Every structure is written in C-alpha cells, then in structure tokens.
Amino acid sequence: MVSEYIENVIQRVIQRDPHQPEFQQAVREVLTTLDPVIKEHPEFEEHGILERIVEPDRVIMFRVPWTDDQGRVHVNRGFRVQFNNAIGPYKGGLRFHPSVNLSIIKFLGFEQIFKNSLTGIPMGGGKGGSDFDPKGKSDAEVMRFCQSFMTELYRHIGANIDVPAGDIGVGGREIGFLFGTWKKITKSWEGVLTGKGYGWGGSLGRPEATGFGLVYFLEEMLHANGEDIKGKTVLISGSGNVAQYAARKVMDLGGKVLTLSDSNGTVYIKDGLTEEMWEFVMELKNVRRGRIKELAEKFDGVEYYPDEKPWKFKADIALPSATQNEINGKDAEMLVKNGVIAVAEGANMPSTLEAIDLYLKNDILYGPAKAANAGGVAVSGLEMSQNAQFTSWSFEEVDRKLRNIMKNIFQESAKAAEEYGHPKNYLMGANIAGFLKVARAMIDQGVV
Ligand code: NDP
Ligand code: 2IT
C-alpha cells in the first residue's frame, strides 16, 4: 500500500483529467515508486511537491491551418506543454502523429521532467506536437505545416525558455523547416531547437544518441549482473530513429538483431540483421520513407508478419523502440515464457503497468524509458552547450560524453534503488533519483 498522500494525489489527477489515460498511467507509474522517499522526507508533503509536480506550469494549444498541394485547407491541433522548469529551461521533443492529444503530450512532458533531471544537465521538462500525420505528405506539404506550426509556437520558446526537438514524426527535415521559420520571424540565430543539421548548429552524434545511449545503458545493466551483449539475440520494435541506431550499436557490440517493425507489421531476420540490411533500412526509412515489409521482399532469410509485434519471437533481450503501451501484459507473458533476460526501453512508456509488474516479478532486468532512452535529450543538452559557446565538438567527444552520462544514469538509478531498499529495481531507482533533484529545487524556490 502506498501512502495516503500519494494515493490522494493520484485520485485527484484521475478526477481532474478523467479523459487522459496515458497521463494517469505515467503519474501512477512515477508516484507509486516514490513511496519510500515520501515516507522518509515529510518535507515533500509539507511543501505540496506532488500536487505541484503533476500540474504543468502551462499548456499551450493552438490551431495549425495549412494547405495541401491541391490547395485544400487542413486544420490540425498544435500543443506545447511546459511542465516544470525548476532545474532548467523546458526541454523536450515534438511529436507529429495522428494519435497525438493532450493526454499523450502530458504523459510525455511529465516523464521528461525526471528523465532530464537524470542526465545531470540543467534542463526542465516539456513536450509538444500535433495530430498532423506526415505519412504520404510531400516535402512541400510538410514544410507548409511546419511553417504554420512555428508561426504560433515561436512566441512561447527560446534558448533560455523552452527548447523543442524531435520525437515520432519529427526528424532532421522537420527541425530544419521549423528552425527556418523561427529564424525568419525573430531575425535572430540561437539554439532554440536541437536536432539541427550539422553545419547549422546541430551536434554530431545527435541522430545516433537515443539508440546508442539505449544500448550503452543496456550494457551497463547487463555487466552489473554478470551478462554481456555479445552473442545475445535482440528483439527491436520500430524502424525509426531510435530503432535504427539501437540496431547499429547492438550489431557493433556483437549482438544479433532478430526483428524490426513499423505500424504495419514486423520483420523476423533468422540469422540476424546484416550490414547490408541495415544500410537498406536507413535508405528505406529516411530517404524513401517506405514500409519495413520491403526488407523481407528484398532479402532472403527475412520474413514479414503483417499486423504483428515482435514480442512472440524467442530472444534474450527486448528493446521496444516504437511507441507507448506496445508491450501489454500478454506480450510480457510471452517474453517471460521465452526466457528474455532484459528489457530496455527506447520508446517512452512502451510497457503497460501490467507488463512492468511481470518483468519485476520474474527478475527480468528492466531499464525504464526515462533512464534508458535519456541519451537523446542528453545529447540535445550537449547541443545547447555547443551553441551557447559557439563551438562544435567531434563525434568521438560527443559519444564519449554520452557514454559517461548513460553510465552515470545507470549507477545513480542502481544506487537509489539500493538506498531505498529495492536493489535492482531500476524503475524505482530512476524515478527516485530523477525526482529528488527536482523536488529539492522546488523547495528552494518556494511555492510558485
Ligand atoms: P520515428 O518517427 O523515427 O520512428 C517511429 C517508429 O515507431 C516507426 O517505425 C513507426 O512506424 C513506429 N510507430 C510509431 N507509432 C506507432 C504506433 N502507434 N504503432 C506501431 N508502430 C508505431 O520516431 P523515433 O524513433 O524518434 O521515436 C520512437 C520512440 O522513441 C518514441 O516513443 C519516442 O518518444 C521515443 N524517443 C525518441 C527520442 C529521439 O531522440 N528521437 C528520444 C527518446 C525517446 P511507422 O513509420 O509505420 O509509423
Ligand atoms: O523523448 C525524448 O527524450 C525526446 N524525444 C528527445 C527530446 C530532446 O529534447 O532531445
């Protein structure tokens, strides 16, 4: 049983936001694991930290009108949730996907508070996006949409205020169009977005950062438990930015990638993803913007499973890297049955609460999203530092810093889990370590 204070705050969120299931889920996941901290530190309740941390500083919603190539008018909805800036300017990605709504942006913004805190870089939590669907749109349509989106967003952001970046459906192309519009409106040049192109303020290593960081975290977690990636079989979901570079790093470290997927289905690669297949996926997804099914059409030994997820295949490790709630209780049962030893989350909140429960009960090493995928925002933080100093670092330097950051995140999470009596529960450890810094900053800054 969690303390009454925690349960009351959760119930109040449910009452206030009855139509926000993803947000409720994220709040429950974080708050229930904070129980030992809340019991040990009555000052957090005295200062109303939990009531305040679940309520965003502000929510910005706006109309995004744009015209398609036939001249037809479309209207999407834009969001930016500035959740908490106790430890630094708001920071977090933008998601363009038809499923986007306030619940999803709020869950992502809430998670981002603790993730950003874990990186050790002074960044607050925020998130934004739109229900715009980039699939099947021309470059010109995407550009007009981004221009319209930024025409409103620009007044709310700034290098020391709020620094958006990419997420699902927002990559280098979109960041370019968004930055161009911001620059035109404000007539200034500053690091107001991250994930920029190299040559105009972007950091080397940012495209790789989330996927590489995920595998660095996984490596730390395996090593701490007497295991290694070498020779292990790995299920990866998704085939976008995070999945691509997670696959790359698993291959580089001697693991075997057995699956990739997209919203239409899964490919199973019997003998593991090869160099040639990886290059094909990069071109397929980033240039031609095609479907993962083509990998099976092109290569022998690759089978396509329409409308299926990767979790039914036997492997040692799972790296969910597509979207929220992609591993439910049933999927997790399959992972357990197939003897998976570790799950590390590239996506945000890919596991339902039921799935997480099963990992923990079955001693599966579990690397929760806010720790395991923090490499992306960490290198965004490094991009902000480089912009502020008018400098740029080599790929090796960025990669070395990323590696250290992921190692620290693992160690801090492991240490907090142990200190609060739940050794190896990295979910609890990550939530506690991320929370403590923000909560102490909030106390220092008074009731605001
Ligand atoms: P991309 O848009 O590059 O790729 C997303 C991938 O996930 C695609 O393969 C997409 O398939 C699939 N996908 C998206 N939505 C769904 C869905 N509803 N059902 C099934 N498959 C889906 O995004 P990223 O790789 O950047 O993001 C992937 C995950 O990682 C997200 O959860 C994101 O929040 C998280 N993340 C991203 C970071 C980053 O730096 N980019 C940092 C930290 C976390 P399809 O093409 O068919 O839509
Ligand atoms: O979920 C995430 O951490 C991201 N999409 C990256 C955010 C960022 O600001 O780089």
Side-chain angles (χ1 to χ4, degrees):
M1 274 301 282
V2 297
S3 70
E4 205 183 323
Y5 174 45
I6 290 178
E7 201 45 51
N8 287 342
V9 174
I10 294 174
Q11 288 312 321
R12 181 96 175 102
V13 166
I14 295 171
Q15 256 174 26
R16 267 196 173 153
D17 299 312
H19 306 301
Q20 297 181 359
E22 293 86 1
F23 177 56
Q24 292 173 14
Q25 182 184 339
V27 166
R28 184 175 287 283
E29 180 243 284
V30 173
L31 264 50
T32 50
T33 61
L34 296 179
D35 196 50
V37 181
I38 296 301
K39 285 184 175 138
E40 198 172 307
H41 296 274
E43 70 271 23
F44 293 143
E45 182 170 355
E46 282 155 30
H47 288 265
I49 295 296
L50 295 185
E51 298 88 316
R52 287 197 279 143
I53 213 166
V54 298
E55 196 60 25
D57 288 355
R58 64 194 63 76
V59 171
I60 301 149
M61 276 174 66
F62 49 100
R63 178 177 67 242
V64 190
W66 56 281
T67 50
D68 66 21
D69 290 344
Q70 284 70 47
R72 278 188 299 258
V73 176
H74 299 263
V75 176
N76 285 102
R77 188 168 280 179
F79 302 89
R80 187 74 185 166
V81 173
Q82 298 179 330
F83 225 113
N84 185 299
N85 66 354
I87 63 168
Y90 306 109
K91 179 84 196 90
L94 296 172
R95 175 177 293 190
F96 293 170
H97 192 271
S99 64
V100 163
N101 57 33
L102 190 56
S103 173
I104 289 185
I105 299 299
K106 279 180 68 183
F107 112 66
L108 289 163
F110 184 68
E111 287 278 305
Q112 201 83 41
I113 304 171
F114 309 100
K115 182 195 305 194
N116 293 3
S117 163
L118 281 172
T119 66
I121 300 172
M123 299 182 289
K127 199 87 187 189
S130 173
D131 57 3
F132 174 72
D133 186 359
K135 274 203 201 85
K137 304 291 189 301
S138 68
D139 286 352
E141 288 172 330
V142 170
M143 181 175 76
R144 286 194 295 277
F145 174 81
C146 289
Q147 290 173 337
S148 180
F149 185 85
M150 187 52 91
T151 303
E152 174 59 35
L153 186 69
Y154 88 94
R155 66 187 95 246
H156 307 291
I157 61 176
N160 296 309
I161 301 170
D162 182 358
V163 182
D167 194 81
I168 293 177
V170 178
R173 174 182 63 170
E174 291 74 19
I175 295 294
F177 295 147
L178 291 164
F179 188 70
T181 308
W182 184 85
K183 203 167 55 64
K184 169 136 182 161
I185 298 173
T186 61
K187 69 175 168 35
S188 52
W189 201 111
E190 55 181 73
V192 68
L193 293 164
T194 59
K196 300 186 290 300
Y198 186 66
W200 49 277
S203 176
L204 287 170
R206 177 62 185 87
E208 291 85 351
T210 311
F212 278 20
L214 170 66
V215 180
Y216 294 152
F217 184 94
L218 171 70
E219 205 181 18
E220 291 298 325
M221 186 165 75
L222 291 176
H223 287 176
N225 291 279
E227 295 278 1
D228 192 66
I229 296 176
K230 207 169 161 42
K232 296 287 189 303
T233 49
V234 183
L235 305 176
I236 298 182
S237 63
S239 47
N241 174 263
V242 178
Q244 291 163 13
Y245 287 103
R248 172 78 263 169
K249 190 50 86 178
V250 166
M251 289 159 69
D252 290 348
L253 295 177
K256 216 188 232 190
V257 177
L258 294 186
T259 63
L260 290 171
S261 70
D262 62 21
S263 52
N264 296 101
T266 293
V267 286
Y268 179 76
I269 310 136
K270 193 161 53 80
D271 297 321
L273 196 72
T274 63
E275 191 69 33
E276 203 190 344
M277 291 176 192
W278 185 79
E279 292 291 346
F280 180 84
V281 171
M282 293 301 280
E283 204 265 338
L284 172 71
K285 286 293 172 183
N286 304 337
V287 183
R288 289 194 287 122
R289 297 175 194 275
R291 305 279 82 207
I292 199 66
K293 179 179 166 192
E294 284 190 40
L295 188 75
E297 291 163 357
K298 167 92 180 164
F299 292 91
D300 290 339
V302 183
E303 294 222 30
Y304 181 60
Y305 294 81
D307 301 320
E308 296 217 31
K309 299 191 276 188
W311 318 125
K312 67 172 190 182
F313 298 102
K314 190 170 167 50
D316 302 313
I317 293 166
L319 303 178
S321 303
T323 194
Q324 64 276 353
N325 292 330
E326 56 174 316
I327 303 184
N328 60 28
K330 272 218 168 75
D331 299 322
E333 271 169 25
M334 231 141 25
L335 295 175
V336 171
K337 195 175 110 233
N338 283 333
V340 158
I341 60 166
V343 177
E345 298 179 331
N348 285 305
M349 205 168 79
S351 309
T352 62
L353 294 172
E354 207 185 339
I356 295 174
D357 220 40
L358 282 166
Y359 307 152
L360 297 177
K361 280 201 181 109
N362 289 281
D363 292 325
I364 290 181
L365 299 172
Y366 171 49
K370 64 175 74 62
N373 75 28
V377 75
V379 173
S380 277
L382 301 181
E383 183 170 328
M384 289 163 73
S385 304
Q386 292 169 80
N387 290 164
Q389 296 169 43
F390 285 93
T391 190
S392 64
W393 300 331
S394 67
F395 179 86
E396 289 69 29
E397 184 163 2
V398 173
D399 191 46
R400 188 166 43 76
K401 287 184 157 73
L402 169 64
R403 230 200 142 101
N404 273 331
I405 291 170
M406 297 316 296
K407 190 174 182 161
N408 284 338
I409 293 176
F410 175 76
Q411 286 174 350
E412 266 198 51
S413 305
K415 190 166 146 239
E418 196 148 325
E419 262 175 37
Y420 284 90
H422 294 261
K424 294 191 194 291
N425 183 336
Y426 307 119
L427 173 68
M428 184 174 261
N431 285 344
I432 291 175
F435 170 79
L436 282 174
K437 281 183 229 169
V438 179
R440 287 180 180 134
M442 287 172 72
I443 291 181
D444 291 347
Q445 293 167 18
V447 180
V448 290

